Amino acid sequence: MLRNNLIIALRNFLRHPIYSVINVSGLVLGLTCSIFIFLWVMDEMSYDRYHADNERVYKLMWNYSHIDQGITTDHWTHGLLGEALKNEIPEIKQTARATWASTKLFTYGTTSNYESGDYADATIFEVLNIKLIEGNILHTLPDNNSVAISRKMANKFFKGANALGKTFRFNNQQDVTVTAVFEDLVENTTEKFEFIIPFQIYIESDPRNLVQQYDGESGWQFTLVKLNNKDNKPVTDLKIAEFIQKHAKPSSSPPPPPFLFSMLDWHLHDSFVNGKQSGGRINYVISFTVVAIIILIIACINFMNLSTARSMNRSREVGIRKVAGASRQVLIRQFLMESILLSFLSMAVAILIVHLLLPLFNSFTEKQIIVDYMNPVISGSMIGIALLTGLIAGSYPAFFLSSFRPASVLKGNLQAVFSGASLRRALVVFQFGLSMVIFIAAIVVSKQIDYMRNTNLGYDKSNVITIEPNEDISKNYDAFRNEMLQNPLIESISRADCDPMEINGYDYYNWNGKSPDDDTYFNGVGCDYDYLETMRFKFLKGRNFSHEFPSDSTNIIITEEAANRIGGSNPIGQLLEVEGTKYQIIGVIEDFYNLSMKEQMHPTTFTIEIASGDAEKHRIFIRYKAGSIIPSLEYCKVLYKKYASGFPIQFSFVDREFEKQFKTELTIATLAKYFTGIAILISCLGLFGLASFSTERRTKEIGVRKVMGATISGLTILLCKDFTRLIIYSIFIGSPIAYYLMEQYLNEYPYHTQLNPSIFVIPALVMLTISLSIISYKAIKAALGNPVEALRSA
């Protein structure tokens, strides 16, 4: 029976090659998109899963409560907190402190490379359960002159030779000896590093890095916590809250207590609003999963419409088989077998396309996805998707075709046979409605990204080179600066501890008239006299820092938002005090976007804070004349080598660094555009099927009308009218749904584009134009036909 069904399915496939190819093409497009989305979602969901103890590993998260700024959440904690919690709470097995990843120079012999890594406690290898290739897990970092490196870094410097005992020159400051080599961390991990340097070195570089309190006032490292049992998390959170409360300063409005943030959520659920988890990349995962389902549904509907469009050609086959004794169940199995066969054929072609395009997809999404078809999850999923797609796509045609009454069919009474037009039209409306939603969503996402990229930032990000600092440049900065300005292509040069989009320092200032309950924090930037001019911030009141005023070393410039927090129409001359130091306000600049375009503008301050001991914290900003990027960069490289010959130059451009924060959104938006195009293409194939079905049913009517004198234009309008109505219905159904969804999406951004009518009109016109082109083609072709042939074949 199975063999016969397969033979019949193959014969029908070959008998109508054009429609079969169109049918397969729709499924191939849908399945290809779905596989790519499936692989992307699997990769996103696999982040941090490779750690053997991932369910027991957490970051300690801290909540900060502010009267006007709500509750902010981050992972910065205090240098002594981890060890104190371990000693106090028996449910905690181990803790480790670590800094954010930074780039350091490693030199071995004549080889020098910048590598990315962390300052961390040796216990990080126990917490993260990182496999050692060389070394002892109990003595990975025995002293401050040791370093643990990855296999990749070891191979880069030592070409496969034993790395233990080898000595690096670290950042041209000290010698460190390799005491451990660990297995390379996989790409889909949140915490990535090629080396680990003892945390104690970080503390000794600046004693301020180790804060002596636990109550949330400061701290520039994060704390990893590993529990004895994952089920201990609730009780551990309570005990941490009790510990903090015991050591915290008295407050009338204490902030929410700190909590443990699971490793399994680090990548996908890292967004917090008012102290509670609120989405993150999981929103993209959910959105694209929905898109994959929508595209598959559209492909299945396309299959249904094309199958029913060709059903007239198989009506007599069904009638004869029923007369010969075939039951309806047998016919249903036959038609389902055909659709499943086409689905698996489509899946095979889709897998081939995915295999060929995967390198391009990886390059575009900056992933390293490798498809292991022997993996039961992947192979099982693909077989399941193909089977489910075949069943869904073939269900309606199977039940529809098997319901034909043999007497009516064999007598030629096909009008009663081909019912269900309302359902087919509803499917087309549903198809195009979904396509309309995806189309509008792709436009809104793109417009939001363009809005964020092109909005007035409050400073000029173009034509600025950023150079990472080092000890040599810091010592010779004045000479470096003076020689740099001798080049007419260089307009200005300055130093600051961060660029405008990375301002994360904060201080709690006091001022005259401040409410005791006001715990507003200000972002802070330490800079030199030329920074604000170099970045072209716009002054609203007062003046810039100047060497002509020696007192400017204790003066301060604030943003408009900071001025509003302080109160008063003119803050110039007012005093701000922090940690016993008083600063006089001398200028107010226009608000600008700091940290992220996805966050509210924070009040920000600028002070003169350039110390020779802070070389690693102060970047150099060089503004060059527009159009001179290549000669200006070459000049920078020459001078850098002259004043810091021991360090290879590290440079970037402020505008390109700004663009990086939209990297994920740009990738998502581009993928959305491609998927939108494919969804519309598949929908049009379905429309083509329904148009074919309609014109075939009305062949005799068209012939009669032409004999009676109907014109080609009149027939075309007659045939297009019904389909145009369907597309208009889909537009009016899809647009409100898209409006609601996109309004929710934009509300996640404090600054966003507006939903104007063109966002809905343009997709509607595009959909109508494409649809009418397809329908008109079929209508004109039918209208141009010979009426004699139409009447003879009808």
Side-chain angles (χ1 to χ4, degrees), residues 374-622:
M374 301 305 294
N375 185 327
V377 175
I378 294 178
S379 58
S381 297
M382 290 184 177
I383 292 173
I385 290 173
L387 183 61
L388 183 62
T389 301
L391 289 172
I392 294 174
S395 58
Y396 173 62
F399 286 96
F400 174 73
L401 291 170
S402 64
S403 66
F404 292 170
R405 294 187 296 275
S408 299
V409 171
L410 296 177
K411 287 179 181 179
N413 183 16
L414 298 179
Q415 188 65 30
V417 170
F418 294 104
S419 58
S422 297
L423 176 59
R424 288 189 292 275
R425 291 191 178 99
L427 290 176
V428 170
V429 172
F430 185 60
Q431 268 187 317
F432 277 86
L434 292 176
S435 299
M436 188 72 179
V437 172
I438 299 177
F439 199 167
I440 294 173
I443 291 177
V444 173
V445 171
S446 296
K447 284 182 68 67
Q448 175 61 20
I449 294 172
D450 290 341
Y451 174 86
M452 293 190 295
R453 294 171 67 192
N454 300 319
T455 192
N456 178 20
L457 298 176
Y459 60 92
D460 186 359
K461 66 181 185 298
S462 61
N463 306 320
V464 178
I465 300 171
T466 302
I467 297 179
E468 296 296 326
N470 58 62
E471 196 68 31
D472 290 353
I473 286 290
S474 180
K475 291 177 180 178
N476 300 290
Y477 176 75
D478 290 338
F480 176 79
R481 176 183 180 276
N482 292 335
E483 191 166 350
M484 184 67 70
L485 291 174
Q486 292 176 13
N487 189 322
L489 298 178
I490 306 302
E491 294 185 349
S492 61
I493 178 173
S494 64
R495 287 190 293 175
D497 55 20
C498 57
D499 69 39
M501 292 302 296
E502 294 181 353
I503 300 174
N504 53 22
Y506 60 86
D507 281 305
Y508 293 90
Y509 285 94
N510 292 313
W511 58 85
N512 187 30
K514 179 182 179 181
S515 168
D517 295 326
D518 188 345
D519 56 358
T520 298
Y521 72 92
F522 290 7
N523 289 134
V525 182
C527 61
D528 65 5
Y529 289 86
D530 305 307
Y531 179 68
L532 294 171
E533 178 186 352
T534 299
M535 297 310 301
R536 295 181 179 174
F537 286 93
K538 181 180 178 181
F539 274 82
L540 301 177
K541 296 177 182 179
R543 62 173 177 84
N544 195 1
F545 296 117
S546 172
H547 291 282
E548 297 179 1
F549 297 90
S551 61
D552 276 359
S553 60
T554 57
N555 287 338
I556 193 170
I557 294 173
I558 63 176
T559 60
E560 188 177 9
E561 178 64 21
N564 293 336
R565 299 280 179 176
I566 295 171
S569 58
N570 188 7
I572 303 300
Q574 291 192 44
L575 297 179
L576 295 179
E577 182 180 353
V578 59
E579 297 180 357
T581 302
K582 293 183 179 180
Y583 295 90
Q584 186 179 51
I585 300 173
I586 61 170
V588 178
I589 64 171
E590 186 178 70
D591 284 330
F592 66 97
Y593 292 94
N594 53 12
L595 283 182
S596 171
M597 296 286 291
K598 301 174 186 177
E599 299 180 20
Q600 292 279 358
M601 292 184 186
H602 288 285
T604 305
T605 65
F606 295 84
T607 55
I608 301 297
E609 290 183 10
I610 296 294
S612 59
D614 290 339
E616 294 185 1
K617 298 181 180 179
H618 297 128
R619 293 182 178 180
I620 299 173
F621 298 83
I622 302 171

Side-chain angles (χ1 to χ4, degrees), residues 55-73:
E55 293 183 339
R56 296 194 287 136
V57 178
Y58 301 84
K59 272 183 185 175
L60 187 61
M61 303 296 287
W62 206 280
N63 286 311
Y64 298 88
S65 181
H66 311 281
I67 291 178
D68 296 327
Q69 297 161 296
I71 298 172
T72 58
T73 304

Side-chain angles (χ1 to χ4, degrees), residues 226-245:
K226 188 173 188 176
L227 300 183
N228 290 305
N229 191 310
K230 66 176 183 177
D231 297 330
N232 292 334
K233 180 189 180 301
V235 67
T236 306
D237 278 338
L238 289 175
K239 290 185 177 181
I240 291 174
E242 292 172 359
F243 177 87
I244 298 299
Q245 185 177 13

